[in-house]
Amino acid sequence: MTSTSDRTAFVHKYGPWAVVAGASEGLGAAFARGLADRGLNLLLLARRADALEAVAAPLRARVDVRTAALDLAAPDLAEQLARVSDGLDVGLCVYNAALSRIGPFLDVPLADKLKIVDVNCRGPLIAAHVFGERLVRRGRGGLLLMSSLTAFWGSPLVATYGATKAFNLSLGEALWYELGPRGVDVLVCCAGATKTPGFERSSGPDGPRAMTPDAVVAEALQALGGPPSAVPGGLNKLAAFVLGRLFPRRRAVALMGSQTARLHARD
């Protein structure tokens, strides 16, 4: 739990409202809980209205929570984000939403790959533009983009997903430099395996060790205002160091492929 003084400072910097895109389960729901714990009112976004309401309902005793069911791949996403957040003093935007398909690149339909790009790249770019303008005008706030360890190397069998996460990492680190002097903290959180519903469905009971969503969120929010990117979890930090610094790149890519192939074999 955060102290009263820490909560007050957090609300002053990143409140009174936070937008969480992709808030219906897993990491998005954990961000909603973590931000409510810190005293921020919430605007939760995802496609499924019923799932959003299940996340929102228990938090309303502590903070004001609004939900908006929308498709983050919609052609008019910028207009929709402006509409649902109209009148709210948004101090923090968390873009957590992501799509992924496990399988050989050529076996995944092109339409599915393009939808992944829409949600994972176009979505955070639009959110960063829409809310970045507002945060700069108010002179303080934050933008947090969820990426992945797959951003650091080519990731066979999740090639499109890994490429989109590399896009998020590059975009967020650049915005950290551009927007920081204007009062806006930007962080890219490069998470490893996380016990989200999607991960548990694909990995099964004997899947790799994974962090809880709440643990990932706690580290991400703690890192906000620091370096441009962060890897939560001691084992994930070790893996990033070993694969990035000690292994030849071809070996790192091959290892990523072999690990993902185990998940694909369970499907």
Side-chain angles (χ1 to χ4, degrees):
M1 290 294 290
T2 54
S3 67
T4 300
S5 60
D6 287 341
R7 279 168 53 96
T8 300
F10 194 89
V11 171
H12 175 74
K13 177 73 176 185
Y14 304 116
W17 284 87
V19 174
V20 182
S24 57
E25 64 178 23
L27 278 166
F31 270 112
R33 293 191 296 270
L35 293 170
D37 286 343
R38 288 161 176 79
L40 266 61
N41 301 316
L42 302 169
L43 172 60
L44 306 181
L45 311 176
R47 286 184 298 113
R48 296 177 293 150
D50 56 342
L52 281 175
E53 184 56 32
V55 173
L59 303 178
R60 290 198 170 103
R62 287 181 281 164
V63 296
D64 191 356
V65 185
R66 302 186 188 183
T67 64
L70 53 83
D71 183 358
L72 293 166
D76 62 343
L77 179 61
E79 291 78 10
Q80 290 197 49
L81 291 178
R83 174 180 55 81
V84 298
S85 63
D86 185 45
L88 302 181
D89 186 8
V90 174
L92 178 64
C93 174
V94 177
Y95 195 97
N96 168 72
L99 291 180
S100 179
R101 281 283 305 273
I102 300 178
F105 179 80
L106 294 179
D107 289 354
V108 178
L110 178 59
D112 289 3
K113 290 193 279 270
L114 293 175
K115 184 69 174 288
I116 291 170
V117 171
D118 280 343
V119 173
N120 298 9
C121 293
R122 183 174 171 274
L125 185 146
I126 290 172
H129 180 85
V130 170
F131 293 109
E133 286 188 326
R134 292 165 64 170
L135 295 172
V136 165
R137 283 198 300 269
R138 76 200 294 267
R140 68 184 190 282
L143 175 65
L144 197 159
L145 305 180
M146 286 303 299
S147 184
S148 163
L149 290 181
T150 61
F152 297 119
W153 315 277
S155 298
L157 302 180
V158 285
T160 304
Y161 171 82
T164 64
K165 291 303 180 179
F167 175 89
N168 291 339
L169 177 60
S170 181
L171 174 67
E173 289 192 330
L175 295 180
W176 173 87
Y177 180 87
E178 291 188 27
L179 302 185
R182 306 179 75 177
V184 181
D185 296 331
V186 181
L187 175 71
V188 185
C189 178
C190 300
T194 307
K195 293 180 182 177
T196 63
F199 175 82
E200 293 184 325
R201 284 191 295 268
S202 63
S203 65
D206 301 320
R209 293 181 62 180
M211 294 181 69
T212 67
D214 290 318
V216 173
V217 167
E219 289 201 34
L221 294 180
Q222 183 65 34
L224 189 60
S229 59
V231 176
L235 289 178
N236 292 329
K237 289 181 176 67
L238 178 61
F241 175 80
V242 171
L243 271 72
R245 300 291 183 87
L246 303 183
F247 281 18
R249 195 162 184 89
R250 61 189 296 175
R251 187 177 176 191
V253 172
L255 182 59
M256 294 291 288
S258 67
Q259 293 298 312
T260 308
R262 294 181 184 180
L263 298 180
H264 183 53
R266 294 189 178 99
D267 289 350

